[in-house]
Amino acid sequence: MEKMVLVVFGLIFVQGLFTFAQVKNYNKKIREMKQYGMVGIGIRKGRITPGNIILLAVDKKGIVIRCERMQGFSVFARFKEVHELAGVGMEELKEKVLCNLKYNKKGIAKPDPLLQAIEGLEARLAS
């Protein structure tokens, strides 16, 4: 019984170390993205499906300079660049996202991390 308790605490400790490493990577990536321009962040937590984090860097005109996505179930997920979005205007990107929104059975739109990032950036650009 004591060995099992030690194993459980050991696993929890290892998970904490991996989580720490992932948070460190997240903060490093945000600092890196801020060098490109204003950064919008969108998050969708996954329960059964993989979670997503989108970092969107735009210039003062609202043109996407760089986009990075972290997607996955585990603490081993890392950011990968999304090349297709570079050079696209925020308005055009928002229209595409709104056209492709998915809805649940009650007719409520499922959260989209890209839309969250765009709306956050729109609020910052407006002020």
Side-chain angles (χ1 to χ4, degrees):
M1 185 68 166
E2 293 172 3
K3 288 183 181 181
M4 193 159 95
V5 170
L6 285 174
V7 168
V8 168
F9 280 118
L11 291 173
I12 291 171
F13 179 75
V14 169
Q15 181 187 14
L17 288 176
F18 284 128
T19 302
F20 175 77
Q22 189 175 41
V23 169
K24 195 172 177 180
N25 175 258
Y26 172 79
N27 289 329
K28 177 184 161 202
K29 192 56 75 169
I30 289 176
R31 281 192 306 275
E32 182 182 305
M33 292 288 284
K34 284 183 180 181
Q35 294 175 357
Y36 293 101
M38 269 197 263
V39 177
I41 302 169
I43 299 172
R44 181 177 59 88
K45 294 182 180 182
R47 294 181 189 196
I48 298 173
T49 60
N52 279 304
I53 299 176
I54 297 279
L55 301 178
L56 195 63
V58 299
D59 62 12
K60 293 178 182 178
K61 297 176 187 174
I63 305 298
V64 176
I65 299 170
R66 187 177 177 114
C67 179
E68 301 236 357
R69 169 184 283 149
M70 180 192 297
Q71 181 175 7
F73 289 104
S74 73
V75 292
F76 298 113
R78 293 291 178 252
F79 282 99
K80 294 179 182 155
E81 189 172 357
V82 181
H83 298 284
E84 306 87 53
L85 300 181
V88 178
M90 277 194 338
E91 288 117 24
E92 179 184 346
L93 191 56
K94 186 174 182 178
E95 286 176 25
K96 287 180 184 179
V97 172
L98 289 173
C99 289
N100 295 321
L101 274 180
K102 295 182 176 141
Y103 295 88
N104 64 15
K105 293 177 183 176
K106 295 180 182 177
I108 300 171
K110 293 181 180 180
D112 187 296
L114 186 54
L115 185 59
Q116 287 178 2
I118 292 168
E119 288 174 345
L121 283 166
E122 285 177 339
R124 288 180 56 203
L125 286 170
S127 60

